[in-house]
Amino acid sequence: MDYYTKWPEAYVLPDLEAKTVAEALLEIPWITFWKMALQNETADRVTEFIITGLDDIEHTKAVGTVILVVYSLIVLGSLTNICFIALDQRLHTPMYFFICILATVDILYTSSVSIVLLNILLGEVKRVPYGPCVAQLLIFHLGSTMEPFAIALMAYDRLVAISNPLRYHSILTKTRILVLTIIAWVLGFTCSGLVAGIVNRLPYCHSNILKYSFCEYAALVRVACVNPDDYFLLASIISSFVLFGNFALIVFSYLKIILAVLKISSTADRKKMFSTCSSHLIVVACFFIPKFVLIIITRIGLVLTLSSRNGLIIGSTLGPSLVNPLVYCLRTKELRSRLLTIFSKQSVIPSE
């Protein structure tokens, strides 16, 4: 069995002596098949992929409608937060700037997945051209990389606000915020660009059917004529750096926050300090818990059906992005007050 092309070949040998086996290896054209796999990278390059990971869904229109509603709520909630913050000078602070970054990432992250899912479920279009597929993969992995970076920046903001409230604006200056933001986006584009670049150079010689729900790294690696283990190792290193690195920064920030709060003598002030972090802690839990569950399931060797895996990935992508705008719009005093003000104005009936 040739490992790369998966073509089985059998040859009869008169005996198992070393000389006979060596001559057979030299004379049998097994290496031709291996060369064909590499030639396909340029000669017979895949022009499109067929996504079949959602074929087992019975009520495709109903599921597609639910995803459409969820996606619409994510975009509406995220844009609402961005507009509220942009139009109110009082909200032009580091904390709300980081909320805008998170909202932007949520829109990018969910759009990359939702548009493909809606095309399949509602538009019944399973074929995705090669270029748009790689572009969707790039945006998806950019979002999955930037999400923990944005959450880590918000944790740093809370750390400065609680540990050094009097020096908050002198520490988080506009220049420093800009530098931190640029670094985060550069790292995000580097990681996602590396992943997309690897996928773009893979030879696809025998199949263009993706048994996944959208274009992602694992899906394209599994249909390529390569040893997937080597490529999954590289992806694990990148994802571990992004996921666990940012999670470690968040844990470190909250440990310092706890130490700072414990030094406060007033119980009321302690509760106030912890309440300022409650929204962020909800966001942290919603993003990292599903990711860690997927990692644990993989590590313990639990075999999931393809539909279960696809459902977990879609849920872990859309779920946190749906919660984020709701949490910050309803639990943040300034945004909640702005929202209530708008609704109260619209509910007033003008007198004749």
Side-chain angles (χ1 to χ4, degrees):
M1 174 74 76
D2 180 71
Y3 188 90
Y4 296 96
T5 62
K6 314 301 181 190
W7 290 320
E9 291 288 339
Y11 297 93
V12 179
L13 300 179
D15 54 66
L16 296 178
E17 294 182 0
K19 181 179 179 181
T20 304
V21 174
E23 290 176 350
L25 289 174
L26 293 174
E27 294 176 1
I28 295 173
W30 63 273
I31 196 170
T32 304
F33 296 110
W34 183 79
K35 287 182 178 179
M36 287 178 65
L38 296 180
Q39 290 170 355
N40 273 277
E41 183 176 3
T42 54
D44 300 317
R45 192 167 183 84
V46 170
T47 58
E48 66 178 9
F49 292 102
I50 303 173
I51 298 177
T52 62
L54 302 174
D55 287 354
D56 57 345
I57 296 178
E58 296 181 2
H59 306 288
T60 56
K61 299 297 183 182
V63 175
T65 302
V66 171
I67 293 176
L68 176 61
V69 172
V70 172
Y71 174 58
S72 300
L73 290 174
I74 292 171
V75 175
L76 178 62
S78 299
L79 288 177
T80 299
N81 284 345
I82 293 173
C83 291
F84 281 175
I85 294 170
L87 296 175
D88 194 339
Q89 289 286 340
R90 296 170 299 176
L91 302 181
H92 291 182
T93 63
M95 182 184 77
Y96 290 102
F97 179 76
F98 292 139
I99 290 176
C100 286
I101 293 177
L102 182 64
T104 304
V105 172
D106 284 335
I107 294 174
L108 287 174
Y109 192 26
T110 55
S111 296
S112 66
V113 175
S114 299
I115 293 173
V116 177
L117 296 177
L118 294 175
N119 280 336
I120 297 171
L121 296 173
L122 297 182
E124 299 181 356
V125 179
K126 298 180 181 180
R127 297 179 181 272
V128 181
Y130 179 85
C133 183
V134 175
Q136 182 255 300
L137 178 145
L138 173 66
I139 298 173
F140 170 74
H141 287 288
L142 174 62
S144 63
T145 303
M146 279 302 302
E147 191 91 3
F149 277 126
I151 296 173
L153 288 175
M154 297 168 75
Y156 175 65
D157 170 80
R158 292 297 83 204
L159 172 63
V160 176
I162 293 175
S163 300
N164 297 282
L166 299 178
R167 299 180 55 213
Y168 178 73
H169 290 286
S170 63
I171 294 175
L172 287 177
T173 61
K174 292 182 179 180
T175 301
R176 190 164 295 175
I177 292 172
L178 181 62
V179 170
L180 290 173
T181 303
I182 292 174
I183 291 174
W185 281 103
V186 168
L187 289 174
F189 273 108
T190 300
C191 294
S192 59
L194 180 61
V195 169
I198 292 172
V199 166
N200 192 44
R201 296 178 63 85
L202 292 177
Y204 302 97
C205 57
H206 65 280
S207 177
N208 66 336
I209 297 176
L210 304 182
K211 296 180 180 180
Y212 289 72
S213 52
F214 54 90
C215 297
E216 58 171 306
Y217 182 80
L220 270 67
V221 167
R222 288 195 183 280
V223 299
C225 302
V226 295
N227 180 2
D229 295 336
D230 297 336
Y231 291 87
F232 285 145
L233 176 62
L234 177 61
S236 297
I237 294 173
I238 296 174
S239 61
S240 297
F241 163 73
V242 173
L243 194 65
F244 292 105
N246 284 290
F247 184 72
L249 291 175
I250 293 169
V251 171
F252 175 75
S253 298
Y254 273 100
L255 287 176
K256 295 199 70 174
I257 287 173
I258 292 172
L259 292 176
V261 171
L262 290 177
K263 294 179 182 179
I264 301 174
S265 57
S266 173
T267 305
D269 289 340
R270 286 183 182 181
K271 290 182 179 180
K272 184 179 179 181
M273 292 296 180
F274 279 124
S275 65
T276 60
C277 300
S278 59
S279 299
H280 184 256
L281 286 173
I282 294 173
V283 171
V284 171
C286 289
F287 177 79
F288 283 98
I289 289 178
K291 301 293 183 184
F292 290 152
V293 168
L294 283 171
I295 292 173
I296 292 171
I297 289 174
T298 304
R299 294 305 178 193
I300 64 177
L302 181 62
V303 179
L304 296 175
T305 61
L306 194 60
S307 58
S308 299
R309 182 190 178 278
N310 289 336
L312 282 173
I313 293 178
I314 294 172
S316 64
T317 302
L318 300 181
S321 298
L322 176 63
V323 172
N324 292 346
L326 294 176
V327 166
Y328 281 108
C329 195
L330 298 178
R331 293 185 61 87
T332 305
K333 181 180 178 181
E334 290 80 2
L335 290 178
R336 185 174 65 248
S337 299
R338 185 66 185 269
L339 186 64
L340 291 174
T341 301
I342 292 176
F343 279 111
S344 63
K345 286 181 179 179
Q346 291 181 351
S347 63
V348 173
I349 302 177
S351 57
E352 295 181 359

